[in-house]
Amino acid sequence: MTIRELIEASPLPKGAEGLLEPGPLPPDEAGAILALARAKAGLTPQEKGEGKTMKRSKFGLMLLAGVVCAGAVVASAAALFQWDKGLAEALGVGEEALQGALRESGNAIQTSQTSQGWTMTISQAVGDRGCAYLLLDLAAPEGTVLDADLYQLDDCQLVFEKERRGVWGWECLKDEDKTDHRISFLVHMNMDEDMRTAQGVLKVRGVQAVRLREGEQGGDAVERLAELSYELPFRLDYQEQVKSCRPGQTVQVERGLIKGAVTVEQVEITPLSVRVRLSSPDAILKRVWPLTEGTPSPGAVLLAVQDRSGSPILPDTVSMDEGDGAVEMILSYRPVIDPAEVELLILDGVEIPLKWEGQ
């Protein structure tokens, strides 16, 4: 298949009506992203007590409208998907059998642009209905030495062809070879709309190098390497490998003044995420939280995903979308999980058996 045929099979979004763009991240949010990147790289935070936080609120309004980017080379075809080593390692997809099982959950993209001699490429995507990951590669001009501890994208924005609500972010992946003038980033997205055929544009205005200074005054050294201008269109095109069930089980919670009934309406699972829909006529629904590494206060009503060994499987990220008398949680996992190993939810200590449809 030629590049032209791939382009014709993957039309880009047209028009830019109603384009909504946020400004640069506030300092506190930029600091939180850096702290998370340091943690992912296995580096100790400068100050004790740093860690992930979750906000219990409705999804924020995502960007809308599509943009066609001149000068971009684009190709997208799920049939051509072969796991990139960096993406497989970032998602914990190490076994060849698991890579094969997840092949339909990814697609090759290969969207590239060059700015000031720096070439940025969205090479691959993998995801399910509610979450997706983009592998972003950046090649510096020949002779450039990229030996910093971490790298940051400057003024990074994500634009979709239609309105979506959700959360997204990015992180720098571990650089295995600091002599090859190449670095990679992982963009992750949790959305309330189906991501399997989403079209969008990733905008980046620069790249910064971060040199960590453990125990030194003045903080880390941040250097802007280049002022760049990228508008990279992408199209997601993959299949969701999902199992679902409708437990319909209600748990009565009585803990002093904390009282109410919570019903587990539906559970969907893929290797990348678990999606849980809960309902309740009581205010107690606002106290239900998924069990994570940063478990909330003792007053929380905890929801945990449990494997066959009886151990909880802690999510990497969590998104929660609240409606009238209901909440939908998306628990995303890195490393990926084996759905066959998940048979129970635990809600406030009560076991909820998961009998998957079709089994």
Side-chain angles (χ1 to χ4, degrees):
M1 180 176 286
T2 66
I3 292 297
R4 177 174 296 278
E5 289 172 333
L6 289 171
I7 293 175
E8 292 174 349
S10 307
L12 298 178
K14 297 182 179 180
E17 297 80 11
L19 182 61
L20 177 63
E21 299 182 1
L25 286 175
D28 58 339
E29 293 187 22
I33 291 175
L34 179 56
L36 179 57
R38 292 166 66 104
K40 290 288 185 184
L43 300 166
T44 304
Q46 284 184 293
E47 299 181 4
K48 300 296 182 182
E50 291 187 7
K52 297 181 185 178
T53 60
M54 292 191 304
K55 293 184 178 180
R56 178 57 181 262
S57 62
K58 293 186 177 181
F59 282 125
L61 181 65
M62 278 304 295
L63 312 178
L64 46 146
V67 179
V68 174
C69 300
V73 178
V74 182
S76 175
L80 301 181
F81 184 75
Q82 297 289 332
W83 280 91
D84 177 273
K85 179 182 177 182
L87 180 61
E89 290 180 351
L91 297 182
V93 187
E95 299 180 8
E96 184 176 345
L98 187 54
Q99 291 187 21
L102 279 169
R103 188 158 291 148
E104 291 186 1
S105 296
N107 68 286
I109 297 180
Q110 296 302 326
T111 301
S112 295
Q113 280 187 343
T114 298
S115 176
Q116 305 296 325
W118 294 68
T119 299
M120 181 169 284
T121 302
I122 301 177
S123 58
Q124 292 190 337
V126 66
D128 56 25
R129 181 163 59 95
C131 71
Y133 299 90
L134 296 177
L135 180 63
L136 187 64
D137 298 316
L138 182 62
E142 289 287 346
T144 304
V145 178
L146 297 177
D147 59 357
D149 298 301
L150 293 171
Y151 295 89
Q152 298 180 153
L153 299 176
D154 193 12
D155 193 12
C156 183
Q157 302 169 20
L158 185 62
V159 182
F160 283 105
E161 86 289 359
K162 69 175 185 177
E163 180 180 322
R164 293 175 185 269
R165 294 185 301 167
V167 293
W168 71 282
W170 54 263
E171 64 187 73
C172 181
L173 299 182
K174 183 178 180 180
D175 188 4
E176 299 290 352
D177 184 356
K178 294 186 179 295
T179 66
D180 66 355
H181 67 277
R182 295 175 181 272
I183 51 178
S184 297
F185 298 86
L186 188 68
V187 179
H188 47 88
M189 302 165 274
N190 280 21
M191 299 290 160
D192 66 338
E193 296 286 339
D194 196 330
M195 296 294 292
R196 289 172 292 179
T197 57
Q199 299 183 67
V201 176
L202 183 70
K203 299 183 178 184
V204 179
R205 293 294 177 260
V207 61
Q208 298 175 335
V210 180
R211 299 185 186 279
L212 306 178
R213 295 177 175 176
E214 300 293 344
E216 296 185 19
Q217 294 183 350
D220 301 328
V222 180
E223 174 190 3
R224 189 167 194 181
L225 299 180
E227 290 198 16
L228 309 173
S229 180
Y230 299 113
E231 294 189 0
L232 293 164
F234 64 89
R235 179 184 180 184
L236 304 183
D237 181 16
Y238 54 77
Q239 300 297 316
E240 179 181 56
Q241 301 176 52
V242 62
K243 297 197 299 184
S244 63
C245 66
R246 296 180 179 273
Q249 185 170 335
T250 299
V251 175
Q252 295 288 338
V253 179
E254 292 190 18
R255 198 185 306 160
L257 296 177
I258 302 174
K259 297 181 180 180
V262 179
T263 300
V264 181
E265 300 286 358
Q266 185 175 25
V267 181
E268 296 179 338
I269 186 170
T270 77
L272 297 167
S273 70
V274 174
R275 198 178 187 107
V276 183
R277 181 174 178 81
L278 307 173
S279 66
S280 175
D282 307 313
I284 194 173
L285 199 59
K286 294 185 177 295
R287 290 185 175 271
V288 180
W289 287 82
L291 179 65
T292 68
E293 291 180 354
T295 299
S297 67
V301 177
L302 294 179
L303 175 74
V305 177
Q306 184 171 294
D307 64 18
R308 287 181 176 177
S309 70
S311 301
I313 308 175
L314 302 182
D316 180 64
T317 60
V318 173
S319 298
M320 292 183 282
D321 189 14
E322 294 183 21
D324 294 336
V327 63
E328 187 167 88
M329 300 182 180
I330 301 176
L331 288 66
S332 300
Y333 292 91
R334 290 173 52 197
V336 297
I337 60 176
D338 182 356
E341 293 295 315
V342 178
E343 296 181 339
L344 286 175
L345 286 184
I346 308 295
L347 178 58
D348 199 41
V350 178
E351 293 187 353
I352 313 290
L354 302 176
K355 299 179 180 179
W356 305 113
E357 297 175 359
Q359 291 188 348

